[in-house]
Amino acid sequence: MIGPMIGPRGLSRAMLASTFVFGGINGWKSASTLVPAAEPVASPIAKRLGTSASTEQLVKANAAVQIVGGVLFALGVAPRVLAVILGASLVPTTLAGHRFWETDDPVESERQRTQFMKNAGLLGGLFFAVLDTGGRPSIFWSGRKAAEGIASSVEATTASVIDSVGLSSQ
């Protein structure tokens, strides 16, 4: 179900999603030029996934995830799940594209560090989106309340059984 677009949550999701949509479009269009930077990150990912996909194909797949995921996230479709997916796509993007620690040029290093930290901030925003229940109780709260209810019911039933068989302490 598509959530409401109006209000602070919808506005926040749209603002956060815009970076992924536009970054994904850029990544898709310029995938071939991103291959050299992506190679050190893409090769281990491909091996771990057991795929023979080229680095360019992986860059395009990541771009597609960011475009589609960003649009759906902005629309409020499963925002918590999509925040996890977008966060997962952001990690290799950041590690491949903003390796400030490998740059000798101080100006370029500072530029890459800034982009790295921007992406870290985006990841923080996505983390907030994962935790946002939209005002509804979280699954952890609901689970705890259900467990408390079950424990109370078991306690009451046990006390009733003990009383009915005359085992209660006097």
Side-chain angles (χ1 to χ4, degrees):
M1 178 174 196
I2 295 178
M5 284 290 296
I6 300 171
R9 281 186 177 89
L11 180 60
S12 296
R13 278 194 311 270
M15 290 168 44
L16 195 53
S18 67
T19 302
F20 291 96
V21 174
F22 289 108
I25 290 169
N26 184 50
W28 183 273
K29 287 180 178 178
S30 60
S32 61
T33 62
L34 297 173
V35 167
E39 187 64 37
V41 175
S43 290
I45 290 173
K47 279 183 187 174
R48 183 158 289 242
L49 293 175
T51 182
S52 60
S54 70
T55 299
E56 185 172 354
Q57 290 171 322
L58 291 174
V59 168
K60 282 189 171 187
N62 193 52
V65 165
Q66 290 185 349
I67 295 165
V68 174
V71 168
L72 294 174
F73 181 73
L75 293 173
V77 177
R80 295 174 78 188
V81 172
L82 284 164
V84 170
I85 292 168
L86 289 170
S89 77
L90 186 59
V91 172
T93 299
T94 303
L95 293 176
H98 306 299
R99 301 171 76 82
F100 65 89
W101 57 91
E102 292 181 351
T103 304
D104 293 330
D105 178 11
V107 173
E108 180 62 17
S109 178
E110 183 61 30
R111 190 177 77 74
Q112 291 302 330
R113 185 179 298 112
T114 299
Q115 293 300 311
F116 186 95
M117 296 310 296
K118 176 209 46 132
N119 285 6
L122 286 171
L123 198 54
L126 291 170
F127 186 65
F128 269 113
V130 168
L131 297 176
D132 180 30
T133 62
R136 296 176 306 276
S138 73
I139 192 166
F140 301 110
W141 185 89
S142 299
R144 187 174 67 242
K145 286 298 179 189
E148 288 171 359
I150 291 169
S152 177
S153 179
V154 167
E155 181 181 2
T157 303
T158 304
S160 175
V161 168
I162 288 173
D163 285 344
S164 69
V165 293
L167 298 175
S168 61
S169 61
Q170 300 175 354

